[in-house]
Amino acid sequence: MEVNIGPVLINQRKQHHITQQQLADFVGVSKAAVSKWETGQSYPDITLLPSLAAYFNLQIDDLLDYEPQLSTSEIQNIYNTLKKSFTTEPGEEVLTKLRSLIRRYYACYPFIQQMGLLILNHFTSLPGKDVADKQARYVAEARQLFIHVRENTDDTTLKLNARNLEAYTLILLHKPQEVLTLLGTATPTYLPAENLIATAYQMQHDTEKAQAVYQSAMYQHASVGMNYFTNYLTLLTADPAKFTETYRRGKAYAEVFKMATLNPLVYLNFLLATIMGLAQQQQTTMLFQVLTHYVDVLSHTEFPPVLHGDAYFDQIDDWLDTLDSGHQTPRNATMVQQQLVEIIQQDPTLAAYRSDKRWLPLARKLKEVGQHGPQ
């Protein structure tokens, strides 16, 4: 947003039938100074702003024509621009831009929350000694942004999201007791607002909007449910039978909701958790089955992935447009693709399996994905 004091002064003078000389006399400057303000050649000294605002009975923000709030589309554009910058600019420059924007729009709480998410999703690309140092520094910085949102916003949904994101930063900072203090120790009772919203539309005989609400809710919860399977798998490495059954159910769930095409990154994370668990359990045959499926899904995933519906979820586009990240995924696509390839190529958990003859064709396909993108 630009500070446009010149047009404001011109408009206010005309409305109040005041000459440049009269305004200059009131604030104690020359007529030439007022003329330069109005033509954008210079700006008033900061000490003069209260007098100028009082003279026209304006708030200082109104005098400057400064709006501290950003629209959803503006937040989306800034986020996506900064996200792309991680592959084209040094981390130091991106961090400088990021912090400058945070200072400028510190009272725009949806924006501040998105900048906290940007930091969480890309802190490894920011300056620092190593990953541990970066995590300690930047996750703590993101946490302060979420606290700022939680303590100041009047939007209850934003406040709840900020609290949960703060809890996530505490997990990354290895502070489990603070997580429990913040969130409590029991699963919270959940009354989905989307049911009430859809019912309200139905009572107004607006079936189309009611359907759209349910579709967007199911689409969103499908991804959340997939994450539950992923996280649960990591707790079951010592119980191979339950681990295998959880994978079977998770894969069936993913097939029902077509996660491989509708939200492939969430599904790939699920497969990755399965692969690592099977490697630890030394279930070689099943590991190569899942690994083959993982490589196939990755090779057919378009980057950058874009959130979208399908023939079933055919009324969610308007909802996707309202998201702060829009149809884009929150992480830099090039970095994500590289990490999804490299973790299979380099993670020591899989070291013992790289000499297996079944590894070679998968390794070649992964290399192609890393070099040329999806096939």
Side-chain angles (χ1 to χ4, degrees), residues 178-197:
E178 291 190 38
V179 174
L180 298 176
T181 300
L182 182 64
L183 299 183
T185 58
T187 303
T189 303
Y190 177 49
L191 177 62
E194 50 267 31
N195 279 334
L196 303 176
I197 296 170

Side-chain angles (χ1 to χ4, degrees), residues 107-363:
C108 181
Y109 304 122
F111 176 74
I112 295 301
Q113 184 157 291
Q114 286 301 304
M115 292 303 97
L117 279 169
L118 184 78
I119 292 172
L120 288 185
N121 287 320
H122 300 91
F123 68 83
T124 56
S125 298
L126 295 173
K129 292 186 297 184
D130 51 36
V131 173
D133 172 62
K134 294 176 183 182
Q135 179 164 317
R137 289 168 57 187
Y138 299 117
V139 171
E141 184 171 342
R143 181 193 174 197
Q144 291 305 311
L145 296 179
F146 298 138
I147 291 173
H148 173 65
V149 174
R150 176 172 61 81
E151 292 182 344
N152 292 282
T153 185
D154 293 325
D155 185 320
T156 54
T157 300
L158 196 62
K159 187 186 293 288
L160 179 61
N161 290 340
R163 185 202 65 173
N164 292 342
L165 287 167
E166 181 190 349
Y168 178 61
T169 64
L170 290 169
I171 290 290
L172 294 177
L173 294 169
H174 307 290
K175 297 181 177 181
Q177 187 54 51
E178 291 190 38
V179 174
L180 298 176
T181 300
L182 182 64
L183 299 183
T185 58
T187 303
T189 303
Y190 177 49
L191 177 62
E194 50 267 31
N195 279 334
L196 303 176
I197 296 170
T199 300
Y201 278 131
Q202 190 173 1
M203 292 171 68
Q204 293 178 337
H205 307 290
D206 196 337
T207 303
E208 187 173 338
K209 285 186 179 179
Q211 290 176 348
V213 170
Y214 279 126
Q215 280 197 23
S216 60
M218 286 190 291
Y219 181 91
Q220 184 172 205
H221 289 298
S223 296
V224 173
M226 198 76 253
N227 283 327
Y228 287 153
F229 281 107
T230 301
N231 295 333
Y232 189 41
L233 277 172
T234 65
L235 302 176
L236 298 175
T237 52
D239 188 345
K242 185 165 282 190
F243 183 95
T244 300
E245 178 63 12
T246 300
Y247 167 70
R248 186 188 70 80
R249 294 192 183 203
K251 189 169 185 293
Y253 178 93
E255 289 172 353
V256 167
F257 286 100
K258 302 187 183 302
M259 298 302 296
T261 54
L262 289 182
N263 201 334
L265 296 187
V266 170
Y267 185 52
L268 285 165
N269 282 332
F270 166 74
L271 295 177
L272 195 56
T274 305
I275 291 166
M276 295 303 171
L278 292 172
Q280 293 175 52
Q281 296 168 2
Q282 300 182 351
Q283 295 196 55
T284 305
T285 300
M286 186 176 174
L287 182 148
F288 276 100
Q289 290 173 353
V290 179
L291 183 57
T292 300
H293 182 48
Y294 174 90
V295 173
D296 183 62
V297 173
L298 180 58
S299 67
H300 287 89
T301 297
E302 294 289 339
F303 283 86
V306 176
L307 299 178
H308 59 86
D310 60 8
Y312 181 77
F313 290 109
D314 58 356
Q315 297 184 53
I316 66 170
D317 283 344
D318 288 344
W319 170 72
L320 288 171
D321 288 337
T322 68
L323 301 180
D324 288 328
S325 57
H327 293 249
Q328 301 293 319
T329 54
R331 297 188 64 199
N332 181 287
T334 301
M335 295 167 57
V336 171
Q337 185 181 32
Q338 182 179 2
Q339 289 168 0
L340 289 171
V341 170
E342 290 180 351
I343 196 167
I344 299 298
Q345 292 174 330
Q346 302 173 12
D347 194 285
T349 307
L350 300 174
Y353 301 93
R354 295 192 181 106
S355 58
D356 192 296
K357 63 181 181 180
R358 290 169 289 187
W359 184 272
L360 294 177
L362 298 174

Side-chain angles (χ1 to χ4, degrees), residues 34-107:
V34 173
S35 178
K36 287 182 179 180
W37 297 344
E38 293 186 350
T39 57
Q41 298 177 60
S42 65
Y43 294 108
D45 187 275
I46 192 171
T47 59
L48 299 177
L49 295 181
S51 296
L52 284 167
Y55 188 65
F56 294 115
N57 194 28
L58 296 173
Q59 298 293 324
I60 290 180
D61 279 357
D62 295 330
L63 175 70
L64 299 176
D65 192 25
Y66 171 69
E67 174 55 61
Q69 300 301 311
L70 293 166
S71 68
T72 298
S73 61
E74 287 172 325
I75 294 173
Q76 292 172 0
N77 290 336
I78 293 174
Y79 188 105
N80 289 327
T81 299
L82 289 172
K83 180 177 69 173
K84 292 175 184 176
S85 296
F86 283 107
T87 55
T88 59
E89 300 176 22
E92 293 88 344
E93 292 183 14
V94 181
L95 183 61
T96 298
K97 291 180 182 178
L98 173 62
R99 287 174 172 168
S100 175
L101 287 163
I102 288 171
R103 287 192 298 270
R104 186 170 190 176
Y105 297 111
Y106 202 53

